Amino acid sequence: MKVVLIGIGQAGGKVTQALVEFDERMDFGAVRGAVAVNSAQTDLQSLDLDTVLIGQDRVKGHGVGGDNELGAEVMQADAREVMDSIDGRITAEADAIFVVAGLGGGTGSGGAPVLAKELGRVYSVPVYALGVLPGRGEGAMYQANAGRSLKTLVREADATLLVDNDAWHGAGESVGEAYDAINEAIAQRVGLLLASGEAVDGVAESVVDSSEVINTLREGGIAALGYANAKADPDSAENVNTVTSVTRKALLTGTSLPDAVTAESALLVIAGDSDRIPRKGVERARAWVEEETGSMQVRGGDFPLESDHLAALVLLGGVERGKRIEEFMERAREAQKQQPDDGDPAEQFKNEEIDDLF
Ligand code: GDP
């Protein structure tokens, strides 16, 4: 799938840069353009990407703090400039646009839904969000911001692929210490998903096509991605259990959103050397994904790669009814109640639902 990436805010910029570097290192050519947008000038300076500074008249390059309403406002005010900066990059060959952001901060949290809406108005290709959800240990402000941002993003983007900051970092590391490792994991896993259907030599019928990613995300809502890999035998017949076990791990312990299992739709991609991929293993794994997710729409395909490992990527669409999201939204509601109100006495009579950002 050929994509254009727009990273917003600090996390958005860093994750975008990691995705660009992974795609270049692997020589996939899936990332066709990338831009980083921020209201904080120093965060842009550390990136090796084309950049757009927004909100200069309001915050003078100093960022919006954790104020995601201000983040939404400055993106709205400067949307034209941001849209102009990507105009030449979204050519006929782009299959999708990804807006990348941490949902717990200010600029990315507020700016991503605004930009997703603007992009959706102008371009006919799908506009997806890649959102980083704050970990459980991050403060109330992050949870409250992410709740509002997510609610609005789900409305504005064609689908929102979520990565929980608790999901892909090593045991014993705090989220902060683990940023680089998490970003690298996101780059590798999401990068492989984007590249599947791109780097295909000797196209066999079993090879995954990038339109299957789009079809899996067609229902909209929240998506998650699972990943696991293992060393494979040169003889495919020996790898039947390897394929089923990496698929189980990808879905049960390797997802970007822990506990997201029940899904509307799924795509199982087995990446590795074609000669090592056993058809029987792939069929069994796919039947297992069908049973486990309860989805009637499980697509599948191979991603041929030179490697002595086999990897399973499981893209899940429509996971918003899962336990993890329910638990997160509850936390976000609680956090929003704890936020100081803006002094309007009518506010206290407001219902307890999470507010939209705009
Ligand atoms: P913004 O610059 O105002 O958009 O704010 P940030 O991008 O710093 O958003 C804060 C949220 O993103 C928090 O939940 C942080 O834990 C998370 N975050 C910040 N930097 C990174 C990063 O490099 N990687 C990851 N995975 N999360 C990050």
Side-chain angles (χ1 to χ4, degrees):
M1 179 154 77
K2 297 181 185 70
V3 298
V4 173
L5 307 175
I6 307 166
I8 311 175
Q10 191 182 11
K14 287 199 290 183
V15 170
T16 297
Q17 170 135 355
L19 275 160
V20 168
E21 285 170 0
F22 177 77
D23 191 69
E24 279 173 2
R25 202 158 65 231
M26 299 297 286
D27 202 17
F28 284 147
V31 177
R32 292 303 166 117
V35 181
V37 183
N38 209 327
S39 61
Q41 195 157 22
T42 46
D43 290 343
L44 290 177
Q45 278 160 356
S46 52
L47 298 172
D48 188 17
L49 295 171
D50 288 342
T51 60
V52 182
L53 182 66
I54 55 171
Q56 246 174 313
D57 51 337
R58 298 278 299 270
V59 301
K60 318 232 172 317
H62 296 305
V64 298
D67 184 347
N68 66 349
E69 285 183 16
L70 183 54
E73 284 168 28
V74 298
M75 179 61 84
Q76 194 63 66
D78 290 344
R80 183 88 185 254
E81 203 187 324
V82 177
M83 297 292 283
D84 284 349
S85 78
I86 54 174
D87 202 22
R89 293 162 215 266
I90 302 175
T91 57
E93 64 170 11
D95 298 311
I97 306 169
F98 272 81
V99 174
V100 185
L103 304 189
T107 307
S109 173
V114 172
L115 192 62
K117 183 176 185 173
E118 292 298 319
L119 290 163
R121 265 210 275 256
V122 174
Y123 295 102
S124 58
V125 293
V127 177
Y128 301 126
L130 171 57
V132 175
L133 208 59
R136 287 181 175 83
E138 296 188 49
M141 182 198 78
Y142 294 102
Q143 311 296 339
N145 283 354
R148 294 183 71 187
S149 180
L150 179 60
K151 190 177 175 208
T152 318
L153 257 186
V154 165
R155 191 184 75 204
E156 300 300 342
D158 287 304
T160 300
L161 176 56
L162 279 187
V163 178
D164 183 333
N165 253 343
D166 285 336
W168 285 342
H169 71 83
E173 286 171 318
S174 73
V175 168
E177 286 163 349
Y179 281 159
D180 287 345
I182 298 171
N183 297 353
E184 199 44 46
I186 298 173
Q188 183 202 14
R189 295 157 192 203
V190 176
L192 275 175
L193 178 75
L194 300 180
S196 59
E198 284 306 312
V200 288
D201 12 281
V203 183
E205 211 180 304
S206 54
V207 169
V208 71
D209 188 275
S210 57
S211 66
E212 322 222 42
V213 174
I214 290 173
N215 285 330
T216 303
L217 298 175
R218 198 169 293 285
E219 303 285 331
I222 297 172
L225 182 65
Y227 175 86
N229 72 2
K231 193 134 198 314
D233 195 279
D235 177 4
S236 71
E238 297 295 318
N239 294 328
V240 175
N241 288 337
T242 309
V243 168
T244 52
S245 83
V246 288
T247 303
R248 289 178 68 90
K249 273 196 209 150
L251 184 61
L252 299 179
T253 58
T255 49
S256 61
L257 202 59
D259 304 325
V261 175
T262 307
E264 290 286 320
S265 55
L267 170 66
L268 171 64
V269 178
I270 301 296
D273 181 344
S274 302
D275 293 339
R276 296 183 191 225
I277 302 177
R279 300 269 45 96
K280 197 162 104 187
V282 174
E283 276 155 33
R284 275 192 199 162
R286 193 161 148 182
W288 179 82
V289 171
E290 238 166 57
E291 209 172 289
E292 204 66 18
T293 57
S295 167
M296 310 288 274
Q297 293 184 67
V298 178
R299 297 174 173 84
D302 303 345
F303 179 7
L305 268 181
E306 260 178 50
S307 171
D308 58 357
H309 279 61
L310 285 178
L313 275 168
V314 186
L315 175 66
L316 299 171
V319 295
E320 52 278 4
R321 286 176 200 85
K323 217 169 65 194
R324 176 67 178 90
I325 291 295
E326 196 184 305
E327 185 206 307
F328 165 74
M329 289 309 266
E330 176 57 36
R331 240 190 307 150
R333 269 194 294 273
E334 278 304 312
Q336 194 174 318
K337 276 192 269 173
Q338 289 169 24
Q339 297 292 298
D341 65 37
D342 60 7
D344 176 358
E347 282 285 299
Q348 61 187 308
F349 299 112
K350 210 168 52 182
N351 72 38
E352 290 176 2
E353 287 304 303
I354 292 184
D355 303 333
D356 283 294
L357 258 172
F358 57 85

